Amino acid sequence: MRAQEPGNRQPGEASGEAVTPVHRLLPRPDPAAALAAGLTLVALLLPWLELKPNRIAEGAGVLAHSRELGLAVALGIVGVTLPWLRRGWAAVGLGVWTGLWMALTHALARDLLAGQPETARASLGAGFWLSLLALYVFAFAAWQQARWGVLSSLGLLALGIGLGAFGLLAPTMEWRSWREQFSTELWRHLSLASSAVILALAVGIPLGVLATRGPQYGWVLGVTGFLQTIPSLALFGLLLPLLANLSQRLSLEAALAVLFVGFLMVRLFWGVGRWLALPVAVPLALLALALGGVWLNALLGPDEFRFALSAPLQESGVRGIGAAPAVLALTLYALLPVVLNVYTGLRGVSEAARDAGRGMGMSPEQLFWRVELPLALPLVLEGVRGAASLALGITTVAALIGAGGLGFFILRGIEGGAPDMVLLGAVPVIALALVTDLVLKWAGSRLRQRAGI
């Protein structure tokens, strides 16, 4: 091939070396951070807060005034430059952005409420919510580069909350008015959700193991999957008359006797014909879950519970409304993530690992406890993670049947036309679900590292 002559050079080529395009000289921006930067700029053009004369009146959107304009401009500049930062600088930029975001919110709320009557409220506007979404996306982008930056920003956010950066906002003022009730409902929410997760683990892990024993147990995944398709309100409605009737006609000692006799019948029929045992096992399992749910909820949170052996079950806390149907429904919903992940984890154990265990002389029980379960544990923990997040969210609906929880504030806010009171119940539920998800995700990653997966 003939060498290219000097007179035939292409346009833009230097005599000695090729010219690098200008856009390649700049670092490539992070896509998630670029999206967050765009959201930040749009948020600064929208009303950040709304001034309301009282808690139920309509609000008027307010943009940044001249006094806060500098903070808004600084927030926009940091947001635009953050997508091009790398490693530690991205973490520093996220911290600066978080500080400016809190400072702008506090300054705007202070100026809005200056000279206003005590009933006035500084509610959250569209700009604030969009900037909060941008902060979440920023944190996700920075987590890939410097996790310590996200943790330090969360610490800075917690410090700002402790110092009163959001103390003038309407949801915080609602919290001050309902502080004692909030503590009670928060603890009740946690106790209901944790009771359901504990019961789901106690029932779901054996069911997941059973589903791996052969195709004849395929009904386990089918039944748990079907339960997940029933709407929560419909399930609460189905359980309400069932438990109401049961609690009036059956005493605690009779219920325990029925459970014992029924367990013996299931054991007897299971070897003869499983289809004869299932009609007996299903109502017994529901009754046992209702009793166990009330007992666990009484231990974990405030509820009316006492042992009354000869009295009807309603004297022991099992009623058509309250904790019993709530925990029972939440447990049924939380079963699918647990059962499915136990099944998937055990089926994913390699035959080579099982053969190695058998070669060491392990019995089937030893093989399960020492080989199969440890290797499947990371996926089992993923099931716990899904069940916990699901239970925390659906527990909000339990307030409709008198079980309490943070859904109490959502219902009261909707009934009274007070959106800020709705936030008092909704925001903690979201925060609890996110924190639980992050903690269990971290624990799962550590288990995978230890297992070498």
Side-chain angles (χ1 to χ4, degrees):
M1 184 180 293
R2 212 173 37 164
Q4 185 176 356
E5 298 179 2
N8 295 330
R9 292 189 185 98
Q10 297 297 322
E13 290 186 1
S15 57
E17 54 188 24
V19 177
T20 303
V22 176
H23 69 275
R24 292 185 180 178
L25 296 175
L26 296 173
R28 227 174 142 184
D30 184 274
L35 172 62
L39 293 174
T40 301
L41 293 178
V42 175
L44 292 173
L45 300 176
L46 297 174
W48 199 270
L49 298 178
E50 293 181 355
L51 179 61
K52 294 182 177 181
N54 54 61
R55 64 199 300 263
I56 61 174
E58 291 292 332
V62 179
L63 296 170
H65 300 297
S66 58
R67 197 178 295 178
E68 295 85 21
L69 196 56
L71 288 172
V73 171
L75 186 68
I77 292 174
V78 174
V80 170
T81 56
L82 189 56
W84 280 271
L85 299 178
R86 290 293 179 267
R87 295 183 182 177
W89 289 110
V92 173
L94 178 64
V96 173
W97 196 96
T98 305
L100 290 172
W101 177 72
M102 290 191 295
L104 176 61
T105 303
H106 178 73
L108 271 173
R110 181 189 57 203
D111 283 357
L112 272 182
L113 296 177
Q116 298 293 332
E118 292 184 1
T119 56
R121 295 285 189 271
S123 295
L124 307 175
F128 177 89
W129 290 117
L130 199 59
S131 67
L132 185 61
L133 176 61
L135 177 59
Y136 179 79
V137 178
F138 269 145
F140 176 80
W143 184 263
Q144 310 300 323
Q145 302 181 28
R147 297 185 177 184
W148 63 268
V150 178
L151 297 176
S152 61
S153 295
L154 288 175
L156 180 63
L157 187 61
L159 179 63
I161 294 174
L163 294 177
F166 304 113
L168 299 176
L169 299 180
T172 309
M173 299 177 73
E174 292 288 349
W175 172 77
R176 291 197 194 99
S177 302
W178 294 85
R179 183 179 302 179
E180 293 184 4
Q181 184 74 21
F182 180 83
S183 300
T184 302
E185 300 301 340
L186 174 62
W187 185 247
R188 184 172 283 124
H189 194 103
L190 291 173
S191 66
L192 288 169
S194 55
S195 299
V197 173
I198 292 172
L199 287 173
L201 290 175
V203 177
I205 291 178
L207 285 178
V209 175
L210 183 65
T212 62
R213 297 310 185 207
Q216 67 270 26
Y217 298 106
W219 58 267
V220 173
L221 295 177
V223 170
T224 53
F226 169 74
L227 291 173
Q228 195 81 319
T229 62
I230 304 176
S232 56
L233 287 178
L235 187 56
F236 286 139
L238 290 173
L239 293 175
L240 195 149
L242 174 65
L243 290 178
N245 245 330
L246 194 65
S247 64
Q248 294 174 2
R249 299 176 183 272
L250 198 64
S251 64
L252 182 58
E253 58 183 357
L256 295 176
V258 166
L259 287 175
F260 179 72
V261 174
F263 174 75
L264 294 179
M265 291 176 62
V266 171
R267 290 284 294 178
L268 176 64
F269 288 144
W270 196 264
V272 179
R274 295 181 180 88
W275 296 111
L276 295 174
L278 283 177
V280 180
V282 171
L284 289 178
L286 293 177
L287 179 59
L289 285 175
L291 292 174
V294 173
W295 180 65
L296 276 172
N297 189 57
L299 289 179
L300 297 172
D303 206 345
E304 297 179 8
F305 177 82
R306 65 187 183 90
F307 283 105
L309 289 176
S310 58
L313 280 175
Q314 61 184 359
E315 298 295 328
S316 299
V318 179
R319 303 183 183 91
I321 60 173
V327 175
L328 178 54
L330 292 171
T331 303
L332 295 178
Y333 278 119
L335 278 178
L336 181 62
V338 176
V339 173
L340 188 59
N341 279 270
V342 171
Y343 173 81
T344 307
L346 292 176
R347 289 295 297 268
V349 177
S350 65
E351 283 300 322
R354 291 192 177 96
D355 290 339
R358 295 188 191 102
M360 296 173 64
M362 292 184 182
S363 64
E365 291 78 13
Q366 290 174 327
L367 187 66
F368 174 77
W369 290 106
R370 298 184 182 181
V371 177
E372 293 178 339
L373 187 59
L375 291 176
L377 199 55
L379 267 180
V380 175
L381 191 60
E382 288 297 317
V384 178
R385 176 185 167 197
S389 300
L390 187 69
L392 283 170
I394 301 182
T395 303
T396 309
V397 189
L400 289 169
I401 57 170
L406 293 171
F408 167 82
F409 298 104
I410 297 177
L411 292 178
R412 289 292 296 268
I414 293 174
E415 292 171 357
D420 297 316
M421 193 172 182
V422 174
L423 293 177
L424 182 61
V427 172
V429 172
I430 297 172
L432 285 173
L434 286 175
V435 171
T436 303
D437 184 76
L438 286 175
V439 170
L440 292 177
K441 184 178 180 180
W442 173 82
S445 65
R446 292 299 299 268
L447 278 177
R448 286 193 183 90
Q449 291 175 3
R450 294 184 62 179
I453 301 176

